[in-house]
Amino acid sequence: MALINIEYGALASSETMNRNFSYLDDKISEKAESVSTRISSISSQIATINSRIDDISDDLQDTVTDISSVINQVKTDTTTGINAITMLPNWAGLISISKPNQYVVPANGYLLLLPVPNNRGNLQINSVTILLKEVTHENDNASLMYFIPLKKRDKVTCGFNIYNAYFLPISERSFY
């Protein structure tokens, strides 16, 4: 059915008016239903998009957390590796050793030994023995300080008399 045209100034019957109103009411209902369906479809699409954005956000957050963990591990490994191969002395950490003839090294660093002049003997590090101090002439009264690089847990046995002994740790470096 379509709208019935009523001429200007004409008297329309209630039946014609009711048909026109019914027609308009049906059209309004159809359009409202169509708009409501489209709004529901758009709302559903928005919900789907929001759900996908949440999933992507969660995945991205997990990836960022994983990457941060890897970066922190690389930083730690780099610092540990550089500290393991770098032997810069930490003079503020110098300690005197009272009995270096049986010494276990507490950290990477140097053993500083000042032997008694006119003295001879071996130095043993772990299971390796080396002649460290030798007197080649009766007038050889020199006493030089030895700097011996060592790593943590090395066992040192000194087989000659010494005036002084020190442990000089390396500087722990942090790059981050």
Side-chain angles (χ1 to χ4, degrees), residues 2 7 18 23 28 42 45 85 90 92 97 104 112 121 138 147:
E7 296 281 329
N18 285 336
Y23 175 79
I28 290 171
I42 290 170
Q45 290 172 354
I85 63 172
N90 175 10
I97 302 170
V104 177
L112 284 63
E138 63 187 47
F147 286 73

Side-chain angles (χ1 to χ4, degrees), residues 126 137 143 148 168:
N126 299 324
H137 190 272
S143 182
I148 302 157
L168 177 61

Side-chain angles (χ1 to χ4, degrees), residues 23-42:
Y23 175 79
L24 291 174
D25 188 42
D26 289 345
K27 285 296 180 184
I28 290 171
S29 293
E30 285 175 23
K31 293 302 177 185
E33 188 177 321
S34 174
V35 167
S36 179
T37 301
R38 286 184 181 167
I39 288 173
S40 292
S41 174
I42 290 170

Side-chain angles (χ1 to χ4, degrees), residues 100-117:
N101 54 346
Q102 291 287 328
Y103 186 67
V104 177
V105 179
N108 291 352
Y110 298 91
L111 185 62
L112 284 63
L113 296 175
L114 183 61
V116 172

